[in-house]
Amino acid sequence: MRNPSPLQAKGHFWLPSNPEEKLAGELHISQFGQVKLDLLGVFSNPEWQGSGDVEEMFGHLRKVDCICGNVHGEGFVTLLNCLSTRINANLFSSQALEASSFDATIALIGDCYGKNELAFSTLNFTMEGLDDWLNTDTIKPTLKIKTEGDILRSFFGGSVDFGFKESATFALNDDIDIQFISPVKLSPIFPNRPLDYLSLRSQPYISVKSQIPRQIEYFIDLSDKIRKFISLAVDQEVQMQSFTFMKEHSGQAVPVRMYLETGASRKAQYEPEILKVLFTLSDIENDFAKMMRHWIERFEPRKVGHALNLYFAGKWKETSFLDVNFIFLAQAIEVLHRQTFPSSKPMDKKEYRKIADEFIDSFSETIPDLIKNNIYQANRVSLRDRVEEMAMPFENWFRDNESSKDFAVKVSETRNHLTHYSRELVNEQGMGEPLHNLYTKLEILLLLHILEFIGFSREQITTVTERSKRLTEGLDTSS
């Protein structure tokens, strides 16, 4: 996540199992959601029984499921999955100070919980690019002016209309609903001070509600899948900005803020530009619930999740090297084809092994082991065949007049060259502009299949490509 307000606060901290032992310390939450805790002192280990490492031998904890605290200006906090990173235990001196530090994966600001109490029903979260994707005007100025041609002659004032807006509620499954909400916040008004100006700000957020309480990990996984869907829609990686759980306490909903380091790239810098957006909520509103359900259900490693993550890694340029990003995309198209095309299924392994054995035994002369291994490995669909089959449906979309077969050969040879550094590649295809053009075409081909996989019709995909300047230029890879 990209935390707009890094936190540094002092307070007291304790273990839920031993609330009487409180240690002074300082909590740090970075811009990217990293959670660190520095303590003046060392938590004792009540479960130590006389064996283990040196730290544990002297009663010090190395791993803690949960640490509670009360910090200045924020109130109660809960730190989860804490790992000790430093223990200054002065074992042989009673006068020196002890200190310890922990890294935590999650920080909850707003209440103190035990490990078994971490179940919520509502999560509200914000992310970059959400306002571009929603494309909803919550603040509408109306100006009264007089013009002559393109020249402004007179200004007679105007007005501003604003208000709370929310989308329809979409059902992700039987007990999970999602809604997009766009409130408008006013700048604070102070008593006994003149009102010189009033500012308005709209910060849309996503609200996910469950009919039954669910663990934090479920909401984290779900929100990350939604983030990647929005990233696909706005055609650039977006970062989470805030998480807020709503917890019932004494009949009232208490906000609990969550901080964690997500898997998004730190290098990603969102550029707010509506012209870059591939599709908005209004474009797919009637099909959004169905598309999102399909996206969430299939976004698993054993399904297409691994292929999508490889595509995002290559598209969002996890490295600065084009050849590495090309390999990401080549692997993505191989995995996506294996999961979504029926022709990718090989023959039954036992049946093929029997045929291969009979074929090898039919030769009177001894076959080298290398040839035998190649025969046994032949029951697989090659990358060349996979790319060719995936390129055929969109062959006429690209204006380079290249056949699917020729394109597949280039992708396969380039991948082999970049992974094995073979000498078979000609015309410096694995570097410079040829590699960039091949990378661009492969990335767009993957994107077209992902849109089709989500549930876009060919007409909708055509609209997406015609709207996007990047895709329009990318479809012409002949230069």
Side-chain angles (χ1 to χ4, degrees):
M1 66 182 298
R2 198 187 307 277
N3 175 23
S5 303
L7 177 65
Q8 182 174 340
K10 295 180 173 63
H12 289 90
F13 301 87
W14 62 90
L15 301 178
S17 59
N18 187 16
E20 301 302 322
E21 181 189 17
K22 290 183 171 63
L23 301 180
E26 188 170 37
L27 176 64
H28 304 265
I29 301 178
S30 74
Q31 175 188 0
F32 297 102
Q34 290 178 305
V35 183
K36 296 181 179 294
L37 175 63
D38 294 324
L39 295 172
L40 187 61
V42 180
F43 286 125
S44 61
N45 186 357
E47 299 179 357
W48 178 73
Q49 297 179 354
S51 64
D53 296 337
V54 174
E55 292 89 348
E56 293 178 344
M57 184 167 57
F58 287 92
H60 303 144
L61 291 173
R62 299 177 62 184
K63 294 181 181 179
V64 182
D65 290 337
C66 182
I67 296 177
C68 291
N70 192 350
V71 300
H72 177 71
E74 299 292 344
F76 289 109
V77 301
T78 306
L79 310 181
L80 303 177
N81 306 321
C82 305
L83 177 65
S84 175
T85 58
R86 178 177 65 94
I87 295 179
N88 292 340
N90 299 283
L91 307 177
F92 307 106
S93 173
S94 59
Q95 297 181 353
L97 293 175
E98 291 185 333
S100 58
S101 298
F102 288 89
D103 284 349
T105 59
I106 297 174
L108 298 174
I109 311 293
D111 211 338
C112 182
Y113 302 99
K115 185 67 175 178
N116 299 324
E117 301 174 315
L118 294 169
F120 301 91
S121 298
T122 301
L123 172 64
N124 300 330
F125 57 98
T126 64
M127 66 179 71
E128 300 167 334
L130 185 57
D131 49 351
D132 288 337
W133 186 66
L134 293 176
N135 195 24
T136 301
D137 290 330
T138 52
I139 304 174
K140 296 181 179 181
T142 302
L143 304 180
K144 298 178 181 179
I145 58 177
K146 180 180 180 181
T147 61
E148 292 183 5
D150 296 331
I151 301 175
L152 175 63
R153 291 301 185 186
S154 304
F155 174 65
F156 301 101
S159 62
V160 177
D161 295 329
F162 63 93
F164 182 89
K165 289 191 177 181
E166 57 185 15
S167 71
T169 300
F170 304 97
L172 299 185
N173 55 40
D174 293 339
D175 58 359
I176 296 289
D177 293 332
I178 181 174
Q179 191 175 29
F180 302 94
I181 302 173
S182 301
V184 175
K185 296 182 179 180
L186 300 174
S187 58
I189 300 175
F190 300 97
N192 303 322
R193 290 178 58 180
L195 185 61
D196 296 328
Y197 67 90
L198 190 65
S199 64
L200 303 175
R201 180 173 179 266
S202 177
Q203 177 63 64
Y205 65 90
I206 302 173
S207 181
V208 176
K209 296 182 179 180
S210 173
Q211 295 181 10
I212 58 174
R214 294 179 180 269
Q215 296 297 312
I216 284 180
E217 291 75 14
Y218 175 86
F219 284 104
I220 293 175
D221 180 66
L222 178 61
S223 63
D224 188 60
K225 292 175 181 177
I226 297 172
R227 177 187 71 85
K228 289 177 178 175
F229 185 89
I230 303 298
S231 297
L232 181 75
V234 300
D235 205 27
Q236 54 183 312
E237 187 175 20
V238 300
Q239 291 266 15
M240 292 293 194
Q241 293 178 310
S242 69
F243 298 89
T244 303
F245 288 104
M246 304 306 295
K247 185 74 172 180
E248 290 292 332
H249 187 73
S250 300
Q252 294 183 345
V254 177
V256 178
R257 305 197 312 275
M258 178 174 68
Y259 297 89
L260 75 160
E261 188 175 13
T262 61
S265 172
R266 292 188 178 186
K267 298 187 297 181
Q269 294 292 333
Y270 181 74
E271 300 176 3
E273 186 177 338
I274 191 63
L275 295 178
K276 290 185 177 181
V277 176
L278 298 183
F279 59 92
T280 64
L281 176 61
S282 59
D283 294 328
I284 59 170
E285 190 165 7
N286 294 334
D287 300 317
F288 172 74
K290 180 176 64 176
M291 288 181 176
M292 183 57 72
R293 284 196 298 268
H294 189 65
W295 177 268
I296 292 171
E297 291 168 1
R298 298 297 299 261
F299 207 131
E300 300 292 339
R302 60 186 178 86
K303 297 181 180 177
V304 300
H306 189 51
L308 294 174
N309 285 329
L310 285 169
Y311 166 75
F312 290 143
K315 171 180 167 50
W316 293 332
K317 299 178 176 57
E318 289 293 323
T319 74
S320 301
F321 302 99
L322 184 60
D323 52 356
V324 177
N325 294 317
F326 176 85
I327 293 174
F328 278 133
L329 295 185
Q331 186 66 14
I333 204 168
E334 189 169 23
V335 177
L336 187 63
H337 180 273
R338 184 183 302 122
Q339 295 293 336
T340 58
F341 277 69
S343 60
S344 67
K345 305 300 180 184
M347 185 184 294
D348 179 76
K349 292 183 179 180
K350 292 183 179 179
E351 183 179 350
Y352 178 80
R353 179 79 183 198
K354 181 180 178 181
I355 295 174
D357 289 341
E358 292 177 354
F359 176 77
I360 293 174
D361 292 342
S362 66
F363 290 88
S364 58
E365 298 180 0
T366 303
I367 300 178
D369 291 339
L370 177 62
I371 303 300
K372 287 183 180 180
N373 290 334
N374 287 336
I375 293 173
Y376 286 125
Q377 293 295 322
N379 188 30
R380 296 186 304 175
V381 183
S382 67
L383 174 63
R384 181 180 303 180
D385 294 334
R386 296 184 191 278
V387 174
E388 182 177 355
E389 185 172 8
M390 293 189 73
M392 280 184 181
F394 295 101
E395 187 175 68
N396 296 329
W397 289 50
F398 294 89
R399 293 180 288 275
D400 54 8
N401 297 319
E402 184 178 42
S403 68
S404 300
K405 183 176 181 179
D406 292 340
F407 172 64
V409 169
K410 286 183 181 180
V411 172
S412 178
E413 289 182 349
T414 303
R415 195 279 303 268
N416 292 341
H417 171 71
L418 295 176
T419 54
H420 306 300
Y421 294 97
S422 65
R423 298 181 179 179
E424 300 176 358
L425 203 64
V426 295
N427 299 326
E428 298 183 340
Q429 186 175 303
M431 62 182 68
E433 185 177 355
L435 178 60
H436 179 269
N437 290 338
L438 193 62
Y439 165 88
T440 300
K441 186 172 181 178
L442 186 62
E443 185 267 313
I444 293 179
L445 178 63
L446 269 163
L447 174 60
L448 297 177
H449 275 280
I450 290 173
L451 292 175
E452 197 170 57
F453 161 77
I454 293 173
F456 278 75
S457 65
R458 284 301 178 96
E459 292 75 17
Q460 288 175 312
I461 296 177
T462 301
T463 301
V464 167
T465 57
E466 291 177 347
R467 176 187 299 170
S468 170
K469 180 181 178 182
R470 181 184 80 85
L471 295 185
T472 301
E473 294 177 350
L475 287 172
D476 187 3
T477 55
S478 57
S479 59

